[in-house]
Every structure is written in C-alpha cells, then in structure tokens.
Amino acid sequence: MTVTEAITRAPDAGRSRRRRGERRKVQHKSAIAIFTGPFGVLFLLFYLIPIGYAVWKSLQVVEREGTYGAPQEVFGGLAQYVLVFQNAPFWESVGRVLLFGIVQVPVMLGLALLFALLLDSPALKGKRFFRLAFFAPYAVPGVIAAIMWGFLYSPNLSPFTDVTRTIDFLSPEMVLWSIANVVTWVFVGYNMLIIYSALLAIPSEVYEAARLDGAGQIRIAWSIKIPMVAPAIVLTAVFSIIGTLQLLAEPQVFRSFSSAVSSGFTPNMLIYATSSVPNTQLAAAFSVVLALATFALSFTFLKSTQRKAAQ
C-alpha cells in the first residue's frame, strides 16, 4: 500500500468508526421507558421507599411530656441501634437461625444436586415423573406445608403414633430440626430445578469426549458436571442464606403445635412481635440490622467462593 492510498483510506476508516459509534447510540428511548417504567415505579414504591422509611423510623424515639403526656416521635440518632446490640433475645434468635443454616442449607443443596444429577443421568427411566415428583413439594405453600408437617409431628394427631411417641419432634431440642425438615422438603425441588437447568446447558460434546477417554457416569458427574454447575450451586446457596435469615412462616405456624417456639424464636418473629407492642422504632432498627447482616453474610460467601474459583 502506498502512502497516498493510506492517506485516502484513513478518512474512510474514521467515518466507518463514527458510523459504528452512531449505531451504538440508544434508539427508541421512549419505548424503553414505557417498558421499564412500570418496573421502576413498583421497585421505587415497594422496595426503595419502604427501605428508606424503615431507616428513617429506626432513627426515631418516642418521648412524653410527663407520665401521661401524649407520645411524640423525635429524632434520636442511633439510640435504637444501641438497644438492638443490647438485646440478648435478638442475638439469640440470630444465632439460632445461623445454626439452622449451617446444617440445613448443605443438606438441602446436597439433595438438590443429587436429584439433579439423577434426572440428568441417562440410566434413569421415567424422568418426567421424577422431575414432577421432586418439584411438587415446592408447589405447596410454606404455611400449608408447616401445618401438614405439624400434624404429622403431633403425638396425638399423627398417623405414625409409634414414632411420634418415641421421638418428640416438637420438644425444645428437636423443634428447630423439625422446622428444618419442612424447609428442606419444600425447597429441595426449587433448587434442584436451577441446578438441573445448568446441567442441560452443558454441551453434549463434553460428555462424548469424556466417554472416549473411558470415563463412566460417576466419573463424569464428579469431574465434569459438578464443576460446571458450580455457579448455579453458589447461586442457590446465596438464596438459601438469605431465606434462612428471613425464616418466619414455618416457625410461626409451629407455635400452634409446640410451646418451645416462642415469639422471638427467629429474628423476623421477634421483629413482628416488637412491632405489635407497638414499638415500630425498635422493630425498624431490628430490620435494618438484620438486612445488613444478611447482605454481609451473603456477600462474604459469594466473594469467598469466587476467590476459590479463581485460584
């Protein structure tokens, strides 16, 4: 190429780059706004505004003029948060759900992974039936599932009286794990579906290459399938951590079956009971601290798994 040709082609290249840049400009802005507008409005009304209101409410305290004066909300700074960190029942409930999560989440995700691998195995017959059977408990609302299992655990109502009279599933020592069984029964199918979808996305050529190398189904599952669906497992683990700290419906129902479940059994139950006193300012502070703890725990878990994957 001569210098003259290079000089004449340079403006054309610049114009083509400008044209490509022009194509990158966002078009149909009004259509985008119409389609995303409803989501933005709902996100603002039912997510951002409630969060802001809870933070503002947590910074208020109630004062009275005299013993029988009318209550009046005034700005109290971090006074409610001081009460939160001095509240032993709240931290006991947080410790209880953390213990719950340390045991229940690995068991639930282990079963979900096992069921997903079974559904993806070519040796399994009747995959449609088993896929529906594994997922069916998730279709049962959590409250209904807790009521059903509560009757099964009750010694006087359960059809398995020989078992329930031998093992008191509603005792203070067992009730937490009875609730864990309910949560596991409900959510195994949901997590299984996420992992199974990730398994279906693995190219079949990977399996063919492994079979040519002499790998069996167990070896393929351990060395190929599980590593390739690790992001899906991490995703379900993050969802499970968040759900564990927000545990409410199942223990709330179990209060009708067991005296071992108090109004402060979990953090959300304590927040609900505190707001019913009513002490909405302290309940809001509980909520903010719980939200921050949930974010910190899930973010730390996510970052630690990403760091291990990068090594």
Side-chain angles (χ1 to χ4, degrees):
M1 181 188 295
T2 64
V3 176
T4 305
E5 291 175 343
I7 293 173
T8 54
R9 290 187 181 184
D12 295 335
R15 279 194 295 271
S16 64
R17 282 196 295 269
R18 283 197 296 271
R19 292 193 192 100
R20 286 197 296 269
E22 289 174 359
R23 294 193 194 100
R24 292 194 190 98
K25 290 182 179 179
V26 178
Q27 298 179 354
H28 308 295
K29 294 181 179 179
S30 58
I32 294 173
I34 290 173
F35 284 107
T36 60
F39 167 78
V41 171
L42 294 174
F43 185 76
L44 177 67
L45 291 177
F46 297 103
Y47 191 79
L48 295 181
I49 291 179
I51 289 176
Y53 179 74
V55 173
W56 174 80
K57 198 75 173 176
S58 67
L59 299 175
Q60 307 295 309
V61 295
V62 176
E63 291 184 353
R64 298 176 182 269
E65 293 184 3
T67 306
Y68 302 103
Q72 197 173 25
E73 279 190 348
V74 297
F75 181 76
L78 301 178
Q80 299 294 351
Y81 292 96
V82 173
L83 295 177
V84 169
F85 286 98
Q86 293 176 348
N87 193 290
F90 175 73
W91 296 107
E92 288 175 3
S93 66
V94 171
R96 190 177 293 113
V97 294
L98 288 177
L99 176 62
F100 175 95
I102 290 171
V103 177
Q104 188 268 338
V105 171
V107 171
M108 178 177 64
L109 296 185
L111 289 173
L113 176 61
L114 176 62
F115 292 160
L117 291 173
L118 286 174
L119 289 178
D120 196 57
S121 172
L124 182 68
K125 306 299 181 182
K127 290 186 179 181
R128 291 183 179 180
F129 168 77
F130 285 107
R131 183 166 61 240
L132 179 62
F134 293 153
F135 185 74
Y138 182 69
V140 180
V143 174
I144 303 300
I147 293 173
M148 180 183 69
W149 279 97
F151 280 112
L152 292 176
Y153 289 143
S154 180
N156 298 324
L157 302 173
S158 174
F160 310 104
T161 53
D162 293 337
V163 177
T164 54
R165 287 174 181 171
T166 304
I167 304 173
D168 188 1
F169 293 100
L170 301 176
S171 65
E173 295 79 16
M174 290 291 296
V175 69
L176 181 66
W177 310 118
S178 299
I179 295 172
N181 178 63
V182 178
V183 176
T184 302
W185 182 81
V186 172
F187 286 99
V188 160
Y190 170 78
N191 294 300
M192 175 212 69
L193 195 63
I194 295 176
I195 299 172
Y196 181 59
S197 300
L199 286 171
L200 294 178
I202 298 176
S204 58
E205 292 82 0
V206 178
Y207 300 145
E208 292 175 2
R211 293 190 192 97
L212 289 175
D213 289 339
Q217 289 300 320
I218 296 178
R219 181 65 175 177
I220 291 174
W222 181 258
S223 300
I224 297 176
K225 292 183 178 181
I226 294 178
M228 295 192 74
V229 299
I233 297 173
V234 171
L235 178 67
T236 56
V238 172
F239 288 163
S240 301
I241 291 170
I242 295 172
T244 296
L245 290 171
Q246 294 178 348
L247 192 64
L248 175 64
E250 291 82 5
Q252 189 74 28
V253 171
F254 267 67
R255 288 192 66 191
S256 304
F257 297 98
S258 174
S259 59
V261 181
S262 63
S263 60
F265 192 75
T266 67
N268 269 348
M269 290 179 67
L270 182 62
I271 292 169
Y272 179 77
T274 304
S275 64
S276 302
V277 171
N279 190 350
T280 54
Q281 297 80 16
L282 182 59
F286 281 141
S287 301
V288 172
V289 171
L290 181 62
L292 292 175
T294 303
F295 170 78
L297 189 61
S298 56
F299 183 79
T300 302
F301 174 80
L302 187 61
K303 282 298 180 182
S304 63
T305 54
Q306 288 177 347
R307 192 178 298 113
K308 290 179 181 179
Q311 291 176 354

